[in-house]
Amino acid sequence: MDGDVAVGVKRGSDELNMYGSSPTSMTANGSDSKKQRLDESPPSRVLHIRKLPSEVSETEVIALGLPFGKVTNILMLKGKNQAFLELGTEEAAITMVNYYTAVTPQVRNTPVFIQYSNHKELKTDSALNQRAQAVLQAVSAVQDGSSPSSDPGVLDLAPPPSPVLRIIIDNMFYPVTLDVLQQIFSKFGTVMKIITFTKNNQFQALLQFSDPVNAQQAKLSLDGQNIYNSCCTLRIDFSKLVNLNVKYNNDKSRDYTRPDLPTGDGESTNKDHSLLGTPSGALASYSSGGGYSSSLSLSQGGGAISPLSAAAAAAAAAGRVALSGSGVSGVLLASNLNEEMVTPQSLFTLFGVYGDVQRVKILYNKKDSALIQLSDGNQAQLAMSHLNGQKVFGKVMRVTLSKHQTVALPREGLDDQLLTKDFSGSPLHRFKKPGSKNFQNIFPPSATLHLSNIRDGVGEDDLRLLFSNSGGTVKAFKFFQDRKMALIQMSSVEEAIQALINLHNYDMGGNHHLKVSFSKSTI
């Protein structure tokens, strides 16, 4: 649907321009001027939404209203980056406005603004608004639990297959606990059971609602959203399971319908996970009470918590999880290293994918082990979860938290083998800038690498040769449209790790240094 869509009733000219004079009046948490403006329009079940991103979809706009009740109509004004959303009742609209007055809603990481419309109902020209109506019809059918009668060629939203969702957390820069998940997802219905675990070095969860329709609504609204600003992105699918078998109530699994269950121990819970076809080894370091202080610090990751995480903030304030990382060592011990190959620089480059490495010390009398100091405990946890068990220079590396709080520098003249290096002033730190895009591109080691800052005139053959010379086999290659970025696929994860160590910050001439990171894509 390109361009504007006409409305069958005349709007007051002030409606679309109501906030044009003072965008700052619509800041988060409701400033006085914002409340004053909200009071100018009496409550209505039609809501006016402004400052939408230009690529927004109808489903994303509908998802803003889903948690509050039935959505009965929608009008998209894409040319003006605006929309009108009609809810089933005025009460639902009031609840929605009250909620989003306190917590600024975001669509695709962009703040949007919501207020009551002057209209009491939407009268849309269905011929001009056909696609939006098709989406609405499908979502309404899902809300009612029936199958949509819209043309399946326009949108195919089958009835939800399962009340169980499989949740993967990407860019897990901060810990996410079972309690945080419960609070976020319970907004869409009764959460009955949750099991958390790690698989393919990613933190995952299975979450069971009492009703498949609630699971569908949660998936529609939350898939792709961030729990915290620029990180902890939710990836949600339906599970093949229709019922979870939870044996223990602890920090890794919970059955809210059976408070009498024993807590068990970590071993038993992991065995329970393996019954579900997932490997054992839940991410104990991310569990509640894992050494995180109870104070809530929002100084990292780009500032304030995003709207989705109002529940997460409440959990954090209650001491279930903290974002500060204080009390947790930022120092890791890496062991079983290839002492012939490993250097402080290579460890700085590899661990720097997950945090800003301050110092590296290869142990003088045990050169297959090293201490790596990152900026804080959260970065250390993230690096440990992604790198422990990875094959580096032919050996499986082990990564654990160190009891040391810092890495001491040797006295001058005593480090003749250059085993210790201070990187605190390095220009290569990826996470110095709050809200940097690097926060959104943290992925487990993979055979596919993302290349950026490619110099003009450098072609596919040049890059294939460069990466082949790093000791690996290039399986596939793809330029992005602007040819400043590309994907390159090596024949194994180990080869990709080695290529990243060797070629991140490679000088391509003309002041162009190649940037290399792991990709979640395949070619």
Side-chain angles (χ1 to χ4, degrees), residues 49 60-68 96 100 105-107 112 114:
I49 305 168
E60 287 171 298
V61 175
I62 293 168
L64 287 169
L66 275 181
F68 304 95
M96 181 171 165
Y100 288 136
Q106 292 198 6
V107 175
V112 299
I114 299 177

Side-chain angles (χ1 to χ4, degrees), residues 12-23:
S13 61
D14 60 330
E15 183 160 347
L16 294 181
N17 301 311
M18 193 163 283
Y19 303 116
S21 58
S22 178

